[in-house]
Amino acid sequence: MLELTRHRTDAPLETWIIRYGDVDVGTVSQQDWNPSSERSAIWKWSCGFYPIHHDQCFRGEASTFETAHAAFFAAWKTFLPQRTEAEFEASRRQRQWTANKYALWDAGYRNKLGRGPIRCACGAMFNPGIHEETMAHIEHITGRLPGT
């Protein structure tokens, strides 16, 4: 069985991404946006497949990292048994689609997305709104492997 792993991002405030295998399933992050002393340095946590199942995500706040982390694990024990492999695959595809979108933006295609087919560097026309077509051409345009 897969285990949960976590790794810190390079965000200015401490933020941890929690993964189950290769799928992001939650975060624990420090918040410091509220100037009131009682809300300063609150930890927020989330558990779920966002944005795919945003209505089924668990969320909460805690005063310490340890409390937020424990609350995430309690929510995870409820969340995981209700999930199917198809939902994990949908989350992987969503992550790939998002990475490909930003790669196309970086390659200068930002204003062309959502306006029908675009021409690939290989000469073929493809619809970037269709996942499989984008995966076939993303490396030609960006020089990056699909989903990276």
Side-chain angles (χ1 to χ4, degrees):
M1 179 167 212
L2 296 174
E3 292 184 16
L4 290 171
T5 59
R6 71 174 190 214
H7 46 278
R8 190 171 176 177
T9 69
D10 59 359
L13 295 175
E14 190 172 348
T15 301
W16 294 86
I17 302 294
I18 302 171
R19 289 196 172 134
Y20 184 66
D22 63 342
V23 177
D24 294 351
V25 294
T27 60
V28 175
S29 61
Q30 189 176 28
Q31 306 292 306
D32 196 23
W33 49 265
N34 196 319
S36 68
S37 59
E38 67 272 3
R39 300 271 311 154
S40 181
I42 291 289
W43 288 86
K44 290 195 171 193
W45 61 271
S46 66
C47 175
F49 293 141
Y50 182 86
I52 296 171
H53 291 303
H54 65 273
D55 59 330
Q56 297 175 20
C57 291
F58 294 86
R59 295 179 183 86
E61 295 181 350
S63 59
T64 66
F65 173 82
E66 292 76 17
T67 306
H69 197 245
F72 169 87
F73 276 104
W76 176 250
K77 288 179 183 178
T78 301
F79 182 78
L80 179 60
Q82 300 171 8
R83 305 283 67 95
T84 66
E85 182 54 37
E87 290 172 307
F88 282 95
E89 186 56 34
S91 182
R92 288 181 192 100
R93 287 175 59 97
Q94 176 68 34
R95 186 184 68 228
Q96 288 176 336
W97 181 89
T98 301
N100 290 339
K101 175 182 77 172
Y102 289 122
L104 288 169
W105 285 11
D106 292 346
Y109 285 82
R110 183 178 202 139
N111 293 331
K112 296 176 184 175
L113 298 180
R115 297 185 180 170
I118 60 176
R119 184 167 305 281
C120 177
C122 72
M125 297 295 287
F126 75 99
N127 184 341
I130 299 174
H131 180 77
E132 290 75 14
E133 290 185 24
T134 301
M135 294 298 281
H137 294 281
I138 195 74
E139 189 172 1
H140 305 157
I141 294 172
T142 66
R144 293 164 53 175
L145 293 175
T148 62

